[in-house]
Amino acid sequence: MKRVFSGVVASMLAIVASAAMAQDKPPLKLGGILDMSGLYADITGPGSETAAKMAAEDFGGEVLGRKIEIIAADHLNKADLAANIARDMFDNQGVEMIYDVAASATALAAAEIAKARNKIIMFSGPGSIRLSNEACGPYTVHYVFDTFAQANVTGLAAVKSGLDTWFFLTADYAFGQDLEKDTSNVVLKSGGKVLGSVRHPLNTSDFSSYLLQAQASKAKVIGLANAGGDTINAIKQASEFGIMKGGQKLSPLLAFVTDIDGVGLETAQGLLLAEAFYWDLNDDTRAFSKRFMERMKRPPTSAQAGVYSSVLHYLQAVKAAGTTDPAAVMKIMKDTPINDMFAKNGRIREDGRMVHDMYLFEVKKPSESKGRWDDYKLLATVPGNEAFQSLELSRCPLVKK
């Protein structure tokens, strides 16, 4: 009996010691660098932080005996601030992985810090193709969309339908410039013509002079190489100027369901746009979006859905690797296909590009919509290997040729 009692006590002590050790382990911190208050706040912002927390909760709340902690900071759309936040997260706050980093200039700045620290950074909100080309890194993942895919899916479809002359309204920073360049290349290769372009500052309130130049060009398509509040303002003001009624087509080269809701179907109807995710696409997207809407009172954007998927993929890789070591975790993330509500058979390539299907949508007429957020009808599904830049064209130094 004494031996039995001693064994039970030893077992209990071992359990208590194990629990104490688990409590002594620091939390696994994942940090979001987001636009929480500016023109991209609806696209990423609090919704991205919520999506990351949902992924952590769905995973079980802990991994390798460590509680998962999701934190976030506002970069105010300033690249130097994004770099400082990334540096502080890695050096002082114990963050193991940074997620989202909305906007391209801020993402490029944060990427350099992550590379210098040999830490994993996973981008959902930014679009610049430089992130998986010149600015690629061994622990960098570009998850949701990029300027090449947006241009390829939207521009190609437009030119094929006869919309073959273009003029660009371009946000004057890395993302806008890349989007104009990539779309121009698609238009020209498809036999179309680019009649000109004009650059505007980020967060522009008055587009009148830019729209007048676009109108005067007589281009069949005015390509909006911007995003968020800039896209919404440009579409609204173009409608006020009667540009669409005059026969010119507006093509937002990056638009989200929140943008269309902000514009309204009466103005946005008929717009062609490329997206990586839509809440009403299938049963899986609807199930996730229902849970997200209970918290945020609006459906997720593709960037926010991508945050959920990327954080979950990272946590699964940490568990499989048995460590948070970036090299071990990245190997598993690249070796493991991604199958969830965001992507089917998605994969992370050697350049860090996560390849998955993209979708071409047309914005519904008000008469076709069943209610708020019922904004898109699917025109085409474009396989990932056709939508994204091929490895043969990659400018990433990590790609072996």
Side-chain angles (χ1 to χ4, degrees), residues 363-377:
V363 177
K364 289 182 175 181
K365 299 174 183 176
S367 60
E368 296 173 319
S369 175
K370 296 176 183 177
R372 191 180 181 190
W373 306 114
D374 180 23
D375 295 344
Y376 296 167
K377 52 185 175 184

Side-chain angles (χ1 to χ4, degrees), residues 60-229:
E62 65 175 50
V63 63
L64 307 183
R66 298 170 65 180
K67 181 182 177 183
I68 302 163
E69 185 177 336
I70 304 296
I71 65 173
D74 191 347
H75 60 42
L76 303 176
N77 281 306
K78 296 179 180 179
D80 57 343
L81 181 56
N84 289 336
I85 291 170
R87 192 178 292 111
D88 181 61
M89 282 184 170
F90 288 139
D91 295 352
N92 303 319
Q93 298 190 53
V95 166
E96 291 289 352
M97 183 271 274
I98 286 177
Y99 65 87
D100 200 342
V101 199
S104 294
T106 46
L108 289 162
E112 290 305 309
I113 303 301
K115 275 194 283 187
R117 302 299 191 275
N118 289 320
K119 292 288 189 178
I120 293 173
I121 188 164
M122 303 183 77
F123 300 113
S124 293
S128 176
I129 196 170
R130 299 180 208 182
L131 292 166
S132 57
N133 279 271
E134 299 89 347
C136 74
Y139 307 123
T140 297
V141 180
H142 201 180
Y143 208 83
V144 176
F145 64 93
D146 60 34
T147 51
F148 184 96
Q150 294 296 130
N152 205 27
V153 175
T154 309
L156 190 60
V159 175
K160 280 184 175 180
S161 68
L163 300 170
D164 55 4
T165 57
W166 286 63
F167 186 97
F168 291 95
L169 241 66
T170 302
D172 195 12
Y173 74 113
F175 163 75
Q177 295 159 14
D178 286 350
L179 191 49
E180 178 189 329
K181 178 183 175 183
D182 289 336
T183 309
S184 294
N185 288 339
V186 171
V187 169
L188 294 171
K189 286 180 181 178
S190 304
K193 294 180 181 179
V194 175
L195 303 184
S197 67
V198 62
R199 302 270 172 93
H200 68 80
L202 192 66
N203 212 3
T204 296
S205 59
D206 184 4
F207 280 89
S208 56
S209 64
Y210 310 116
L211 288 167
L212 286 172
Q213 291 180 62
Q215 192 175 35
S217 74
K218 306 293 186 187
K220 294 178 183 178
V221 184
I222 300 171
L224 302 180
N226 50 26

Side-chain angles (χ1 to χ4, degrees), residues 150 153-154 252 255 260 271-275 359-363 376:
Q150 294 296 130
V153 175
T154 309
I260 302 304
L271 293 179
L272 292 178
L273 49 89
E275 280 260 40
Y359 307 97
L360 179 67
F361 295 105
E362 182 179 345
V363 177
Y376 296 167

Side-chain angles (χ1 to χ4, degrees), residues 215-352:
Q215 192 175 35
S217 74
K218 306 293 186 187
K220 294 178 183 178
V221 184
I222 300 171
L224 302 180
N226 50 26
D230 284 337
T231 299
I232 292 172
N233 286 334
I235 294 172
K236 284 182 175 179
Q237 291 174 38
S239 178
E240 291 168 5
F241 275 47
I243 286 178
M244 286 84 97
K245 288 182 179 178
Q248 288 176 296
K249 188 91 169 177
L250 234 61
S251 179
L253 299 171
L254 178 64
F256 298 85
V257 70
T258 47
D259 300 326
I260 302 304
D261 184 70
V263 172
L265 293 185
E266 188 64 44
T267 299
Q269 60 182 303
L271 293 179
L272 292 178
L273 49 89
E275 280 260 40
F277 173 92
Y278 178 48
W279 73 270
D280 199 21
L281 197 61
N282 54 51
D283 289 343
D284 290 341
T285 61
R286 284 188 285 272
F288 168 74
S289 299
K290 181 181 178 182
R291 294 196 296 127
F292 184 92
M293 288 180 76
E294 288 171 356
R295 302 189 186 203
M296 294 301 299
K297 311 306 177 189
R298 62 175 61 194
T301 63
S302 58
Q304 292 159 349
V307 166
Y308 176 90
S309 177
S310 62
V311 168
L312 198 58
H313 190 59
Y314 170 80
L315 292 172
Q316 289 165 345
V318 168
K319 181 180 180 180
T323 177
T324 57
D325 175 71
V329 174
M330 275 302 296
K331 184 179 187 308
I332 289 176
M333 284 205 296
K334 288 182 175 179
D335 288 347
T336 308
I338 298 158
N339 284 291
D340 57 17
M341 54 78 202
F342 180 80
K344 302 302 178 193
N345 294 314
R347 60 189 180 86
I348 300 172
R349 298 189 313 202
E350 58 200 271
D351 60 349

